Amino acid sequence: PADAFGDAGRNTIPGLGHATFNLSFRRMFRIGNEAAQRTLSFQLNTMNALNHPTITGIGTTVNGNNYGIATGASQMRTVSMALRFTF
């Protein structure tokens, strides 16, 4: 009946497939001689490097306005950089 909970089992409505591609790049530079070893390192991290959207939710209420329509998407590409000097 309307406005009542059903008896469907858990995970009976499968979602869409999910795949992401993360990328990391690191480069180290040695500065000085062997006695005073100093390093400068640069690191670049990218999450969702290809910037493909992933659907995270689908409307599952029968006869609802959003039934079968995507209701959410994953984050867009994020990039972070770090520069570290070790002495």
Side-chain angles (χ1 to χ4, degrees):
D3 298 329
F5 292 110
D7 60 354
R10 186 174 178 184
N11 297 326
T12 57
I13 301 173
L16 301 174
H18 175 75
T20 59
F21 181 70
N22 300 331
L23 184 68
S24 182
F25 172 75
R26 183 175 181 189
R27 178 71 175 149
M28 292 182 68
F29 302 96
R30 292 185 179 155
I31 302 170
N33 56 12
E34 294 293 327
Q37 187 70 33
R38 295 183 176 101
T39 59
L40 180 69
S41 65
F42 172 75
Q43 187 168 356
L44 178 79
N45 296 319
T46 305
M47 305 298 179
N48 193 8
L50 301 176
N51 204 24
H52 287 187
T54 301
I55 304 302
T56 59
I58 297 176
T60 57
T61 305
V62 178
N63 295 330
N65 291 336
N66 63 350
Y67 182 70
I69 298 175
T71 59
S74 62
Q75 289 186 343
M76 296 175 62
R77 177 187 308 132
T78 57
V79 178
S80 64
M81 294 183 285
L83 185 65
R84 180 178 292 172
F85 178 68
T86 308
F87 55 96

